Amino acid sequence: LLDLAGREADGIVAAWASPGEVRARLARAAAARAGTGRGPLACALYAYALPVGARAEAEAWLRPEADALGTTPTRLVRWLEGMGGLTGPPGAIREALAAHRDAGVTDAILVLPNRVPAEALDALAEAVLPAPAPVAAGPGGSPTAPRHNLAHLLVRAHVEAGRGDARAVADPDGTWTFAGLEDAAARAAGALADRGVRPGDRVAVALPDGRPWVAAVVGAAWLGAVAVPLDPADPARLAVILADCEPAAAVTADPPPHGPWAWVRPADLAVAEPRPLAAVHPDDLAYLVYSSGSTGRPKGAMHAHRDMAVSIAGYFGDVLGVGPGDACHSVAKGFASLGFGNGFFRPLGRGACAVMSPVRPTPRSVLATVARHRVSVLTGVPTFWAQLAEFLDRHPEHAGALTGLRLGVSSGDALPPAVGERIRARGLDLVEGLGCSECSHVVLSTRPGEPRPGTLGRVVPGAEVSLRDDEGHRVPVGVPGRLWIRSVSNTSGYWRRAAETRALLIGRWVRMGDVLVAEPGGVHRHLGRSDSLFKVDARWVSPPEVEAVLMERGEVREAAVVGRADDRGLVRAAAHVVLAADPPPDLAERLRRHVAHRLGPHAAPAWVTVHDALPRLPSGKIARRELLPDEELREGPG
């Protein structure tokens, strides 16, 4: 049929076909068309479409259809997705259609459910129709408008929707509503402009977490500048990054390291005249998030104004169900990717309150913040959850401290199953996920009410993941592969790091250093970083797996595992542990036997070193590089 179409037809219809299937069909037809003198074939995609803002909304719309078919709305949505349906927020549908367009699709026939609300049709129009007439002309005549500014998404849209009096940001010194945050951001933009900042300039924000930090970050975007959140507690690192990003201004409490940048004090942000919200192009650079340095020198992942929307809708909306009335706090600070997302832009984007604290997080201080601000969603790295579990065991008077929380979120590293079980045993629904600064999105997550200890769950709406070998070929289920991510929120590259950008970006994909394995049902497990995995006796050793098994022992509070060469040059596992109790005399041998029994002799640690505390990166992750012998330190692939 494709041969006949290639010779005789004007076009073909591809029903429920993936971009790869479309490309293959057109290639077959084009081969038959060669030499006929006919022009190129048109190709119409025929697919279901369900534009939604949140999965719960989609299921509510589809309930009558589901009842008529004798199924549930959840199963019906899954069936639509399984048939190649285009479901999700406008950005996700736009990305899916772009992939089909790149494969050769010229037209789309989209089949909608029987009863589609007007707002869904508006969302579909946003995904497929040309943008409205531009307010101003950007580079190349591209449309720019204030509504493309991320400050509109995070702040003004809520004010326009009548939620201006809702809580937006809280810290120990007070609270701003969305209307108050709008005024603070406009004044912060004025303060930056008064110090010479112009659209496109970088603005370094090195403040403790709190309302001034939020005003500075949103104010930079409000002006059309580029926010760069940095750690105020590490002067050496701050100096390195300032020299790298060369900001026009640095917002700091104390004088910043010497340089050509203007110094803006926190008090300056509140007294300037407010500026109007700047018109921007969706692809204009909006923020840089620097990596924690887990594989060497920090790199700044560049992100556009449009990049926040997909994670706000897909992760905080569809997966976590966050919305107005929620209060969200992140133990990871705002300069780290996890804190920047779960503690700042995702809550604001969903109309929730971002609760911020400038103090160094401890279980006691975090629980005080949770109680004071009525936090409902708490995010932390696995180390925090381990510390919290031990704190609650030692202080039974705090047994009810988690009752006000609706949801706990663990991300940034692999969560040992034993730690997750201890937290869930106290009644907190704890989900696990994996995200990265390179995609400004959490792309894999377990779901509330569906604990899957030891896994990262399934793919989050708005993202596509693929596990591939070193040559870029997809690996089958059960075979470890390097993580590739495709999302509309993907970075355009690393700031002034051309070589690392070329290694990272493969077409529309970002190629990460994480190694995962997919299991039946679309669930993924994290095996570690590609530069942290090692082989013993020709078998792979996954540090997170060994660490999780070590922490099954009651004596071990924390664990980190690295590969280390012995006197013969053979690599063996080296375990670095922090103890929760006085060790027995034969601790090392007990740990070796336990790991060998659970994972095999090849994974058993040849060395066990006891520490008072493990080294950490500014993000809170364990700094495994610092546990390697000096001669074994090496620059990872990023």
Side-chain angles (χ1 to χ4, degrees):
L1 183 61
L2 287 170
D3 291 342
L4 178 62
R7 293 192 302 269
E8 303 291 340
D10 295 319
I12 63 174
V13 175
W16 304 297
S18 68
E21 292 169 331
V22 170
R23 188 175 287 109
R25 294 182 192 183
L26 285 174
R28 174 67 181 264
R33 203 174 190 81
T36 64
R38 299 176 64 86
L41 274 174
C43 178
L45 173 71
Y46 186 95
Y48 293 113
L50 185 62
V52 296
R55 195 179 188 95
E57 293 174 334
E59 294 180 356
W61 299 340
L62 290 175
R63 185 167 299 281
E65 283 79 10
D67 291 342
L69 292 169
T71 185
T72 66
T74 299
R75 290 176 177 171
L76 186 53
V77 172
R78 289 176 181 168
W79 179 80
L80 287 171
E81 293 171 342
M83 289 292 291
L86 309 179
T87 66
I93 292 180
R94 185 186 299 111
E95 177 73 6
L97 288 173
H100 282 285
R101 178 199 61 210
D102 294 343
V105 168
T106 57
D107 300 88
I109 304 166
L110 302 180
V111 183
L112 302 176
N114 288 345
R115 287 169 291 280
V116 179
E119 58 265 32
L121 294 175
D122 291 341
L124 185 60
E126 181 182 342
V128 302
L129 295 180
V135 173
S142 298
T144 63
R147 64 184 176 84
H148 297 316
N149 195 307
L150 66 83
H152 185 277
L153 172 71
L154 301 185
V155 183
R156 175 158 288 178
H158 301 299
V159 175
E160 293 176 346
R163 294 191 293 272
D165 293 335
R167 278 200 308 167
V169 186
D171 66 15
D173 297 323
T175 301
W176 280 335
T177 64
F178 279 100
L181 175 55
E182 180 180 46
D183 180 70
R187 292 183 183 279
L192 295 172
D194 291 345
R195 299 307 304 273
V197 178
R198 297 293 178 262
D201 288 343
R202 274 80 60 210
V203 175
V205 180
L207 294 174
D209 283 12
R211 288 178 297 156
W213 183 94
V214 175
V217 172
V218 180
W222 193 284
L223 187 62
V226 180
V228 188
L230 300 174
D231 184 2
D234 190 340
R237 177 184 169 90
L238 178 60
V240 168
I241 297 180
L242 288 177
D244 185 59
C245 70
E246 293 186 310
V251 186
T252 60
D254 299 316
H258 180 72
W261 35 83
W263 178 25
V264 180
R265 299 167 177 82
D268 299 335
L269 301 172
V271 297
E273 287 296 316
R275 289 291 179 115
L277 182 59
V280 301
H281 189 281
D283 293 332
D284 284 349
L285 190 60
Y287 57 101
L288 298 178
V289 177
Y290 273 82
S291 66
S292 59
S294 60
T295 57
R297 186 163 56 99
K299 304 180 290 291
M302 300 184 289
H303 284 284
H305 283 267
R306 60 172 167 78
D307 288 3
M308 289 182 173
V310 65
S311 184
I312 290 169
Y315 179 53
F316 253 45
D318 289 347
V319 174
L320 301 189
V322 173
D326 276 313
C328 306
H329 177 62
S330 169
V331 177
K333 295 300 183 182
F335 64 84
S337 179
L338 179 59
F340 189 74
N342 280 15
F344 164 58
F345 81 77
R346 294 183 188 116
L348 290 181
R350 292 293 299 171
C353 178
V355 176
M356 311 197 85
S357 172
V359 303
R360 185 178 71 85
T362 65
R364 191 181 297 274
S365 70
V366 171
L367 291 179
T369 297
V370 167
R372 177 177 180 177
H373 296 285
R374 305 187 306 278
V375 171
S376 57
V377 179
L378 177 63
T379 295
V381 295
T383 298
F384 166 76
W385 293 111
Q387 293 171 344
L388 180 61
E390 184 178 354
F391 175 83
L392 294 175
D393 287 342
R394 294 200 319 266
H395 299 279
E397 67 273 18
H398 292 282
L402 304 182
T403 55
L405 288 170
R406 177 174 66 82
L407 195 62
V409 179
S410 179
S411 189
D413 224 333
L415 179 71
V419 172
E421 290 169 5
R422 291 170 69 187
I423 294 296
R424 294 185 183 100
R426 295 185 174 275
L428 180 61
D429 192 357
L430 183 64
V431 300
E432 303 173 45
L434 181 145
C436 60
S437 57
E438 287 81 0
C439 67
S440 209
H441 193 6
V442 175
V443 298
L444 290 166
S445 178
T446 60
R447 269 51 174 179
E450 299 179 14
R452 295 179 179 270
T455 80
L456 296 172
R458 306 188 305 276
V459 179
V460 171
E464 181 180 354
V465 304
S466 177
L467 304 185
R468 307 197 182 193
D469 60 21
D470 291 340
E471 286 72 44
H473 302 129
R474 296 176 186 266
V475 299
V477 171
V479 176
R482 190 166 170 175
L483 175 64
W484 290 38
I485 302 169
R486 182 164 65 179
S487 171
V488 294
S489 64
N490 279 359
T491 179
S492 56
Y494 293 125
W495 176 259
R496 291 178 172 173
R497 302 285 287 273
E500 288 89 341
T501 296
R502 285 193 292 270
L504 174 76
L505 301 182
I506 312 294
R508 293 177 176 269
W509 298 84
V510 294
R511 180 176 58 180
M512 303 303 301
D514 300 274
V515 177
L516 283 69
V517 62
E519 299 178 347
V523 175
H524 293 73
R525 281 192 301 113
H526 192 245
L527 301 182
R529 298 275 303 177
S530 59
D531 57 344
S532 69
L533 294 172
F534 54 92
K535 277 189 174 182
V536 174
D537 300 333
R539 299 179 64 184
W540 283 110
V541 174
S542 164
E545 284 188 338
V546 181
E547 292 160 5
V549 170
L550 288 169
M551 292 181 66
E552 292 174 352
R553 301 283 303 185
E555 310 98 314
V556 178
R557 177 192 303 166
E558 295 181 79
V561 172
V562 296
R564 175 179 166 187
D566 62 17
D567 294 339
R568 299 167 295 170
L570 300 176
V571 175
R572 293 288 185 266
H576 299 263
V577 300
V578 176
L579 300 181
D582 292 335
D586 58 345
L587 171 70
E589 184 56 32
R590 290 189 183 200
L591 295 181
R592 290 189 192 101
R593 288 201 303 266
H594 182 63
V595 174
H597 174 71
R598 294 276 282 104
L599 300 177
H602 69 290
W607 302 271
V608 175
T609 305
V610 177
H611 300 259
D612 292 331
L614 295 175
R616 302 209 171 277
L617 298 166
S619 63
K621 299 178 184 178
I622 295 172
R624 289 179 175 81
R625 288 172 54 84
E626 296 185 25
L627 300 173
L628 291 169
D630 291 342
E631 66 273 13
E632 294 185 27
L633 290 175
R634 60 192 185 278
E635 178 77 13

